[in-house]
Amino acid sequence: MRQVYFRITDKCNLKCRHCCYSCGPDGKSISPENLEKVIDNIPEDTIYLTISGGEVFAVKDVLMHALDYITEKNKERNKEGITPISIQVITNGFWVKETEQTFKIIHELYNKGVRTLAIGSNDRYHREQGINLKMLDPYGNESPLAIALKMLKEKLEYKGGMKVEMPFEIKRAFAASFGRAKKLPAKERDDNQHCIATYMFPEQIAINPDGSVYPCCWAATPSIGSALNDNLEKIANRTMKDKIFRRLVTEGPRGVAKQIGYYKEKDEMLYRAKQCVMCMELFEEIKNGRI
């Protein structure tokens, strides 16, 4: 298993209308005890761990507990000759305001093992909620984040610095019709999403704040297990033995439709163009006993 995508919270300081998880100020987070259970169930061959939300800095105590616990696990890995887990943190960057404070935070993150910071707010929906992207420009000369990153690199000297990822501006919703994004006007939704489980799973697996596990980050399918109770590799191996999920991973929703006898040739273009939404619809049919 190459990468684990772990959402530790649905809590967010914002309430963006395109949020595929319907996150907001009242969102729930994983408890420290359950967080440790999940991390304990990450396979030894995992190389990358992405920690996301919600907004992880809306629950900074949970984020820091996660980083501390992973640091201890990485110490054990080093002793056993196992490659330590590389950590990426995804944030909307609301906390980037003043240079010194920003430097203090990213330095703390670096010391706790974070090597990549992903800014996931480069779109008009986050701007609607008050995010100032000029503060977050990692390549500009004047933004607090860019200056803090330069300060970090200088402090670390030859050890390098922290990589920051910020995608090109997303003018439309980046997700298919999940969560709050379902209410977006049709012209703003991006339903033409290909099934990402077909190239992610089982090399990448997703975990929600309640510990439920999914073959993709959209959680469009039923949960395939609980990371609170079982090793993720065992969950993945068990899932690949299930005929429906195996068809999903190898062929996408089109394969699922054929496996359950729901495929209609006239819908071929829908299966090709709207895979993510079709996946959700197919499993909803199964859940409700209509298939």
Side-chain angles (χ1 to χ4, degrees):
M1 186 169 295
R2 185 173 177 81
Q3 183 170 3
V4 173
Y5 181 83
F6 185 13
R7 290 201 318 111
I8 62 173
T9 185
D10 281 325
K11 188 179 181 66
C12 186
N13 60 306
L14 308 179
K15 200 172 183 179
C16 298
R17 59 191 179 94
H18 77 309
C19 183
C20 57
Y21 303 119
S22 297
C23 298
D26 298 324
K28 295 182 179 180
S29 307
I30 193 166
S31 68
E33 296 78 16
N34 285 342
L35 185 147
E36 292 179 8
K37 290 178 182 178
V38 170
I39 294 173
D40 287 342
N41 278 322
I42 292 177
E44 287 186 351
D45 60 351
T46 301
I47 302 174
Y48 303 105
L49 174 64
T50 296
I51 301 177
S52 183
E55 170 49 48
V56 294
F57 279 93
V59 288
K60 189 179 177 183
D61 56 334
V62 180
L63 171 63
M64 293 304 167
H65 183 71
L67 297 178
D68 287 339
Y69 198 71
I70 296 164
T71 296
E72 293 305 310
K73 289 292 180 182
N74 276 340
K75 289 179 182 178
E76 295 175 12
R77 283 174 170 248
N78 281 325
K79 289 179 182 179
E80 297 171 7
I82 302 171
T83 303
I85 296 172
S86 179
I87 307 169
Q88 177 190 61
V89 168
I90 301 179
T91 175
N92 64 32
F94 78 93
W95 45 272
V96 177
K97 300 184 186 305
E98 184 269 328
T99 299
E100 289 295 334
Q101 180 65 18
T102 301
F103 168 73
K104 181 179 178 181
I105 291 173
I106 64 171
H107 191 206
E108 182 180 18
L109 292 175
Y110 186 91
N111 286 339
K112 291 180 181 292
V114 178
R115 293 297 177 267
T116 305
L117 188 67
I119 308 294
S121 54
N122 194 15
D123 55 69
R124 63 179 178 181
Y125 302 104
H126 282 90
R127 287 201 296 271
E128 288 174 358
Q129 293 287 303
I131 292 292
N132 183 351
L133 293 176
K134 291 182 180 179
M135 305 283 281
L136 299 171
D137 182 3
Y139 313 110
N141 295 321
E142 303 298 330
S143 77
L145 182 59
I147 298 172
L149 288 167
K150 184 178 179 181
M151 291 168 61
L152 177 66
K153 193 169 184 178
E154 291 173 350
K155 185 174 184 66
L156 297 172
E157 295 180 340
Y158 298 107
K159 295 180 182 178
M162 183 179 292
K163 180 181 178 183
V164 175
E165 296 179 350
M166 177 180 275
F168 293 109
E169 180 172 0
I170 304 167
K171 295 182 179 179
R172 301 178 67 194
F174 62 81
S177 299
F178 300 110
R180 205 174 290 126
K182 290 180 181 179
K183 297 181 181 179
L184 286 174
K187 64 180 181 180
E188 295 184 36
R189 290 198 307 266
D190 186 2
D191 291 334
N192 299 316
Q193 293 280 329
H194 293 291
C195 176
I196 57 178
T198 54
Y199 64 85
M200 283 173 40
F201 188 81
E203 286 301 303
Q204 182 171 319
I205 202 165
I207 307 168
N208 273 3
D210 62 357
S212 55
V213 180
Y214 298 87
C216 80
C217 59
W218 303 130
T221 72
S223 172
I224 57 175
S226 173
L228 304 180
N229 306 320
D230 217 345
N231 181 275
L232 293 176
E233 187 173 6
K234 290 183 179 179
I235 292 174
N237 291 338
R238 188 167 60 237
T239 300
M240 289 302 289
K241 293 178 182 178
D242 181 281
K243 292 181 180 180
I244 293 176
F245 276 99
R246 188 165 64 247
R247 291 293 290 266
L248 172 67
V249 174
T250 56
E251 302 174 51
R254 180 172 175 267
V256 174
K258 288 190 172 184
Q259 178 67 38
I260 62 180
Y262 192 73
Y263 176 79
K264 299 177 182 66
E265 192 169 341
K266 67 180 180 64
D267 291 334
E268 175 65 23
M269 293 309 296
L270 285 176
Y271 288 114
R272 290 180 181 273
K274 301 176 71 174
Q275 290 188 51
C276 207
V277 176
M278 293 299 287
C279 175
M280 178 176 60
E281 292 176 359
L282 283 169
F283 281 99
E284 190 67 23
E285 292 290 322
I286 296 171
K287 176 183 175 182
N288 293 326
R290 290 191 287 264
I291 297 177

